[in-house]
Amino acid sequence: MKTKRHGAVLGLIAAGALLLTACGSDNNAPSAGSTSAAGDSSVPVECGGKSKLSAEGSSAQQNAIATFIQAYQAKCPGSDLAYNASGSGAGVKQFNAGQVDFGGSDSPLSESKGEVAAAAERCKGNPAWNLPLVFGPVALGYKLEGVNDLVLNGEVTAKIFNGGIKKWNDPAIAALNSGASLPDKDIKVVYRSDESGTTDNFQKYLTAASKGAWTQGDGKQFKGGVGEAKEKSAGVAQAAGSVDGAITYVELSFAQDNKLSLAKIDNGSGPVELTNETVGKAIDGATIKGTGNDLVLDLNSIYGSTTAGAYPLLLATYEIVCSKGYDADTAKAVKAFLTVAATTGQDGLADAGYAPLPKAFQDKLLTAVKAIA
């Protein structure tokens, strides 16, 4: 999403309000007229407390976190954050083990896996909150010589990633790409080896959109059973970009950095290119299903959407924090960092490949941050 280099692909700084305004809920949903919160310096930040915070997790948000750190250091001189982009699974584990001050994950804590209970124990008997701070679409990035315009749908994508379709000139792919010259070449799937919220979201999309072709289920571990495994978002994008015939699922900025072509998705209403308008239209139906200040988004409704012109493969990245249970110095610093991230830290997000928060969503997030104790 490097918008200066890829303005034709995603002008998200202009569309941030539209895109994330749609990330509303049935409860106090941001209105269609919400404006971007980028650069809002009017929100007070109480600097101080722990001088160097630690966090770990999602590699999908690492460039956003780097932007937030710069803004934090500028706003609170002498303060810093060390972020280890080890993947969502590791981030949740390290947070729950009390090894880092907050975790980063591309999916919220799972109750069925015991993550919610473990987080409450880590937070001294208090619930952890999932705070969505970073948003962006996931690209189906591929490298295929001579093919720069490719259409896929949920069913065909599922069969590619579970081994049901093995050749680029398979009749099912050809049917979606009338007139295209598709080579008789093996499809080389590249997937995340580490536990990843990107993988979880991708597999949830396949479950919803594949008309039964994906039976492997979801989760942070890839379950397709085919392909080459690589660590982190940068790893899969680099691997796919180095081999003709490769395809992977990865955040847009990583796909662009490695010069991958981007497949259009046909959700049943025609091919949809990944653009600011199509991302905004897809996320329009997202609601917040969490209660109170636990801002868990419900994205399931859009994965299987057949709305014309909607790009349905999206990702929200959460910061996982204790609602209570920090020592005073840590609580103060965590609140300061997240406040900066949600306000002046938004300035550089478009250049880093993400969407700035709109004002109404920022207000909801800041309410939660202020309540951390």
Side-chain angles (χ1 to χ4, degrees), residues 144-149 168-169 177-184:
L144 188 60
E145 186 175 352
V147 180
N148 298 316
D149 189 2
W168 279 109
N169 64 346
N177 295 272
S178 179
S181 179
L182 299 170
D184 181 15

Side-chain angles (χ1 to χ4, degrees), residues 30 43 55 57 68 106 143 158 185 200 207 246 265 286-287 295:
V43 177
F68 298 155
D106 303 335
K143 181 176 182 180
K185 183 172 292 186
D200 189 20
T207 299
I265 294 179
T287 59
L295 305 181

